[in-house]
Amino acid sequence: MPYLPLNRRHFMKLGAGIGALAGLSPLTSAHAATDRPADLTEWSALTLSDAIRKGEVGCREVMTAYLDRIERLNPTYNAIVSLQPRETLLDEADRADSELVKGQYRGWMHGFPHAVKDLAATAGILTTKGSPLFSQWVPDHDDIFVERIRAAGAILIGKTNTPEFGLGSQTYNPVHGATRNAWDPSLCAGGSSGGAAVALATRMLPVADGSDMMGSLRNPAAFNNVFGFRPSQGRVPRGPNGEMFYQQLGYQGPMGRDVADAARLLATMAGFDHRVPMSLSTDTSRFAAPLDTQLAGVKVGWLGDFDGYLSLESGILALCEKGLVTFEQQGATVEPTQPDFSMPELWQTWLTLRHFLIAGGTRELYAKPENRAQMKPELIWEIEGGHTLSGLDVYRASSARSRWYQALDQMFEHYDVLALPTAQVFPFDVDIHWPEQIAGKSMDTYHRWMEVVIPGTLAGCPVANVPVGFDERGPPMGIQLIGRMKEDLKVLQIAHAYTRASGLFQQHPDITA
């Protein structure tokens, strides 16, 4: 006899039994009566997880609600790609419900619909990397963090859109097209985790993963008023890949509608894996614990625009400084400060290391002329820049990066976090590939307009984007909080306290489509 899914009323009756079988506290009427939005896609990831675990809502009901929302909104925003067949996903949700009835609880994401960023390998699900060269690639394996998300109970419904090979903070590619901003579909979503950020902001996913080499967890989070977190170098193991030692700039991390949801996902993604020798060994349960802390006594160093070095669109500094007032109102100290380092040298360091890593990672693809013909110009520019480098060039850049780390580490003797804007421009027209000018200054590369994010990347330190407000024309913006190496939990706690004080994370697009 085929399995017949239980409806919500049945799950309410079985809640205590399921909790007991899974070693969890039983359902109480007080919990069931708590105020929640009528639309469960509006629930936080942690609220949804708790409701599924306690039997207050069934996995099929959750999956149906999210698929209905995706069907309604995704044609406009194009955040989720390679969506799996509806009946297949509902069958998986039924199995998840059946497991709960049997007392088999796989983890906090049990029955969650989840879409993985389209740069990461997902077994059995198309993984294009936004490139025609991978438009038919269906991996036979998962990346390590995807293995962990599946093991926590998530049901993979598809992928989230990304730029071609993740290059550039504008999510468009020739395979799936462009992803549009959650607050204004005529604007861009940021990137490269643009699909993930928009899916969160439009409530098409409860929580999302992303990756970040040049602000890809931060910039789209700022552009869509959600939380993005780039963990400390090595916190989330990469791959498995063919090269495991030199690539220390790009990492996966969590995104969430609020800090607590993202921290819970980090607890799933993080931790040592023997296949990745540079990954960090840590007690990941600390990220799943409550983040409550006080901002009183916290010291924030305000980097601003690096003493006029960076060009910023009008209004961004004012919004960020308004956010810093929130810190001060909660008892924190905010001081303007500058690192003892040449910012032009930091940019040249970035160009060298980025050329080196991208050229190395794509060398076999580039070697074939027919492949080069299908690569976007920005990728070819990166690769060919790498071909001009010597080993000594790379060593010098690594030495400069080391000095930059030391410069920031000295600042952390005095400050708990360093703050600076998340982006140099507000979200721009979705049909523009990248801004060629900011405040009258020409951008000399396709990514110069994103220079504000490289200080955090090159330090290898944990960096959070927190919402900081909205431009008078409507689009959102964020502020980066950089913490000391391996102090991920501290950054998350400070970000959590700030977002609770500002309340900005609670604002989301009023979508009537």
Side-chain angles (χ1 to χ4, degrees):
M1 178 181 294
Y3 172 70
L4 298 176
L6 300 174
N7 63 28
R8 185 170 181 172
R9 183 177 296 105
H10 289 138
F11 266 86
M12 290 290 288
K13 292 178 179 178
L14 289 171
I18 292 172
L21 287 169
L24 305 168
S25 59
L27 173 66
T28 65
S29 58
H31 180 93
T34 56
D35 292 332
R36 293 175 179 150
D39 183 348
L40 59 81
T41 64
E42 298 286 351
W43 297 4
S44 74
L46 290 178
T47 298
L48 184 65
S49 173
D50 193 51
I52 291 173
R53 176 176 66 90
K54 292 183 175 180
E56 297 176 7
V57 63
C59 300
R60 171 177 268 262
E61 183 179 356
V62 171
M63 183 63 71
T64 299
Y66 271 96
L67 292 180
D68 286 350
R69 192 169 184 86
I70 291 168
E71 181 179 332
R72 181 166 62 91
L73 299 182
N74 202 51
T76 296
Y77 297 98
N78 194 36
I80 295 176
V81 297
S82 302
L83 184 66
Q84 300 301 285
R86 186 183 186 96
E87 287 308 311
T88 299
L89 296 175
L90 290 176
D91 285 347
E92 290 192 49
D94 287 344
R95 282 193 291 273
D97 279 334
S98 180
E99 288 171 347
L100 285 175
V101 172
K102 297 173 184 176
Q104 299 168 358
Y105 182 71
R106 287 189 283 149
W108 82 282
M109 299 182 81
H110 191 107
F112 264 41
H114 188 83
V116 174
K117 184 176 177 179
D118 201 25
L119 295 182
T122 46
I125 299 177
L126 185 67
T127 301
T128 73
K129 303 184 180 183
S131 168
L133 301 177
F134 289 89
S135 62
Q136 303 301 317
W137 184 47
V138 179
D140 60 3
H141 69 283
D142 287 331
D143 273 4
I144 293 168
F145 82 91
V146 179
E147 294 174 353
R148 294 173 174 181
I149 287 173
R150 284 197 202 254
I155 298 171
L156 300 194
I157 65 171
K159 309 300 283 283
T160 55
N161 203 21
T162 182
E164 186 176 343
F165 287 99
L167 298 183
S169 197
Q170 217 283 45
T171 299
Y172 69 93
N173 64 69
V175 181
H176 296 298
T179 297
R180 296 173 178 271
N181 191 279
W183 293 82
D184 183 346
S186 71
L187 303 178
C188 70
S192 61
S193 307
V198 172
L200 282 173
T202 57
R203 281 33 183 174
M204 288 190 279
L205 289 177
V207 74
D209 64 83
S211 58
D212 186 312
M213 185 180 192
M214 196 175 182
S216 294
L217 281 158
R218 293 166 276 163
N219 177 282
F223 278 15
N224 292 280
N225 200 56
V226 296
F227 178 76
F229 186 67
R230 176 190 163 92
S232 288
Q233 180 173 305
R235 179 71 67 199
V236 176
R238 297 182 66 257
N241 295 321
E243 195 289 300
M244 299 178 291
F245 290 95
Y246 284 101
Q247 207 305 75
Q248 300 299 322
L249 291 180
Y251 285 100
Q252 282 95 8
M255 303 179 81
R257 302 174 191 172
D258 65 22
V259 182
D261 286 352
R264 188 65 186 86
L265 182 58
L266 179 63
T268 299
M269 299 173 69
F272 178 77
D273 188 285
H274 65 89
R275 293 167 288 182
V276 184
M278 306 293 281
S279 57
L280 298 178
S281 180
T282 186
D283 175 12
T284 62
S285 65
R286 58 185 179 167
F287 302 124
L291 298 174
D292 298 332
T293 192
Q294 300 295 317
L295 289 178
V298 169
K299 294 183 177 180
V300 180
W302 171 232
L303 299 175
D305 58 3
F306 289 101
D307 231 1
Y309 170 75
L310 292 175
S311 295
L312 271 70
E313 188 174 346
S314 176
I316 291 177
L317 278 180
L319 270 180
C320 291
E321 288 166 354
K322 183 179 179 181
L324 295 175
V325 171
T326 300
F327 276 97
E328 292 176 323
Q329 290 172 340
Q330 298 298 311
T333 300
V334 179
E335 297 177 353
T337 188
Q338 291 299 309
D340 182 16
F341 200 90
S342 164
M343 299 313 293
E345 182 184 9
L346 193 69
W347 177 249
Q348 291 304 314
T349 298
W350 173 253
L351 290 181
T352 297
L353 294 177
R354 186 172 170 95
H355 282 335
F356 166 64
L357 293 171
I358 292 175
T362 57
R363 65 194 184 283
E364 293 181 0
L365 291 173
Y366 178 85
K368 298 179 180 180
E370 62 271 25
N371 289 342
R372 289 202 296 275
Q374 297 185 73
M375 293 177 171
K376 69 179 184 180
E378 293 86 352
L379 174 57
I380 293 174
W381 175 78
E382 294 277 15
I383 294 169
E384 293 180 348
H387 291 170
T388 68
L389 298 173
S390 68
L392 185 57
D393 292 330
V394 176
Y395 183 84
R396 286 171 176 160
S398 185
S399 295
R401 184 188 181 195
S402 300
R403 286 188 286 108
W404 170 248
Y405 172 83
Q406 291 162 353
L408 283 198
D409 197 53
Q410 289 178 2
M411 298 182 79
F412 288 126
E413 293 294 328
H414 184 67
Y415 299 107
D416 294 293
V417 291
L418 300 173
L420 71 167
T422 300
Q424 293 169 237
V425 296
F426 289 103
F428 49 89
D429 192 298
V430 71
D431 294 322
I432 297 174
H433 288 181
W434 49 275
E436 296 184 0
Q437 285 192 342
I438 300 177
K441 182 179 179 180
S442 296
M443 300 292 102
D444 56 356
T445 72
Y446 79 101
H447 51 9
R448 189 70 178 242
W449 64 278
M450 301 155 55
E451 189 172 0
V452 71
V453 299
I454 69 168
T457 294
L458 286 173
C461 295
V463 193
N465 167 79
V466 291
V468 79
F470 297 82
D471 179 50
E472 60 185 14
R473 296 163 297 177
M477 181 47 59
I479 194 168
Q480 298 178 77
L481 303 177
I482 306 175
R484 203 169 205 169
M485 175 65 80
K486 298 187 180 181
E487 292 190 351
D488 303 57
L489 180 60
K490 183 177 182 179
V491 174
L492 290 167
Q493 289 172 331
I494 291 173
H496 179 71
Y498 163 78
T499 56
R500 285 298 185 272
S502 73
L504 290 167
F505 77 99
Q506 295 175 319
Q507 298 186 36
H508 57 87
D510 182 15
I511 298 171
T512 57

